[in-house]
Amino acid sequence: MNVSAAREPAVPAPAPAHDPPWLALPREVSDMLRPRMPGIVEAIIDAVPQLVPAYARPIEGRFGRGLRRGVAAALDRFLQLPGTRLPALSEESRDLVAGLGSGEFRQGRSMDALLSAYRMGARVTFREMSRVSVEHQLGQGVVVDLGESILAYIDELSAVSAEAYAFEQSERAGAVDRRRTELLDLLLLGQADEAALRHTAAMADWSLPARMAVVTLPLDRAAGLRLRLGQGALVIERETDVVALMPARKSRSAREELGRALKGRGASVGPSGGWERIPDSLRLAVLAAAALPPREGPDDPPIWADEHLAQVILGAEPSAITELANRRLAPLEGLRPAQRERLAETLLSWLRHWGQRAPVAAELGIHPQTVGYRTAQLRELFGDDLEDPTARFELELALHAGRR
């Protein structure tokens, strides 16, 4: 039958924009193309490894069977479309095409490989089907409609596969994020043994480093933190703050790099150590942030707790330090404020330099004779306490706390 001749007397009006392009194809096209399907399937199978490097592997075994089944099912569905308003994919074929997309993610390939295979398959299919159209003298109009139909069909296949790929990717990312949150919770609580931690870390796709450090910072300063810290960091958000755990390297360059990533975020970094010291690292980071003046400027560096351990100790129990200061510095209370400040400053420097007059004078910018005069006043006020090691230590603690 010459379908082209049958169509010539009454050329159909152009299909409305919302109609699928295969509605314009005569139904007979499917009957003419169906016997050629096995050959078209093999032509696509042969072209896949040659034109798409990601599939450059022997077309055999499970991979080969799956590829043939997918190509055959896609072509079979296409042959159901000419002359109809059917959607490009049935429920069954949609599931198959979606499975191809999610399978690409599970195989570790990018979506580009599958989309390239679809485009290559469209070219092979159009070449073979247009050849059949010419052999049966279907006319140029049918060839054009056939090309538009193939392109529209491939676009639908690509969209469904890409959506499934993205869904699988987000599901995997969500699962990994949940497991990493569980892992960080275990590490911060310090209640799991090493075997349980390593199992949880493996499930979270995270290698447990030999040494780690905890970072804490306000929640409102955490924008873009995950990206800055990189994939090696675990990050969780709590009610008012964010806690990050990351591998710790001893090199100065690594510390400087982390400092740049945390600049202007009001962050505090705990001392590094093994997994069993993570709760202590967090506690010291929080205490350091509380003990030191806030660093809120856009260029302020983070607080490194291991550089301020004395301040952390002084700030750990304010009431005890206050009581110590009240008791040890009581001899200064009867003095005028300015005199009290001068003698307290001199006493701290005197204790720090073991009573050596020259270093004290240099530090305070005063004459050595003035140091001697003030020292005599201090000896009169504090008496034998200046010779007692315990009293000297407590005096220095109290004076440091007062300066802080």
Side-chain angles (χ1 to χ4, degrees), residues 112-188:
D112 292 341
L114 184 58
L115 295 180
S116 296
Y118 282 154
R119 290 192 294 269
M120 178 275 301
R123 290 199 302 270
V124 173
T125 301
F126 178 67
R127 183 185 66 223
E128 298 297 325
M129 287 187 174
S130 60
R131 183 178 299 153
V132 173
S133 301
V134 171
E135 290 175 359
H136 287 79
Q137 300 180 0
L138 300 182
Q140 188 65 29
V142 172
V143 174
V144 172
D145 291 339
L146 185 61
E148 291 183 358
S149 298
I150 292 173
L151 291 177
Y153 183 65
I154 291 300
D155 284 346
E156 182 68 14
L157 265 62
S158 299
V160 171
S161 291
E163 182 180 7
Y165 185 98
F167 179 79
E168 187 76 21
Q169 190 176 41
S170 64
E171 284 290 291
R172 170 67 181 275
V176 169
D177 283 345
R178 288 192 295 273
R179 289 168 180 157
R180 289 191 170 191
T181 298
E182 293 171 4
L183 173 62
L184 186 48
D185 282 338
L186 285 176
L187 288 165
L188 294 176

Side-chain angles (χ1 to χ4, degrees), residues 18 36-37 49 55 87 107 112 124 163 169 188 206 214 226 236 287 300 330 340 394:
H18 62 274
R36 303 291 186 95
M37 283 303 101
Y55 300 114
Q107 291 296 322
D112 292 341
V124 173
E163 182 180 7
Q169 190 176 41
L188 294 176
W206 198 72
V214 176
R226 293 175 188 271
I236 60 170
L287 288 173
D300 284 348
R340 183 168 61 244
E394 291 181 353

Side-chain angles (χ1 to χ4, degrees), residues 334-380:
L335 305 177
R336 298 187 309 274
Q339 186 183 18
R340 183 168 61 244
E341 178 64 26
R342 285 196 302 271
L343 287 180
E345 181 183 50
T346 303
L347 177 57
L348 179 58
S349 182
W350 186 86
L351 291 167
R352 186 159 45 230
H353 294 294
W354 294 86
Q356 299 178 72
R357 187 176 297 188
V360 174
E363 181 177 72
L364 300 181
I366 59 178
H367 196 279
Q369 288 184 351
T370 305
V371 174
Y373 172 71
R374 292 182 185 179
T375 301
Q377 288 182 290
L378 291 169
R379 289 191 181 280
E380 184 178 342

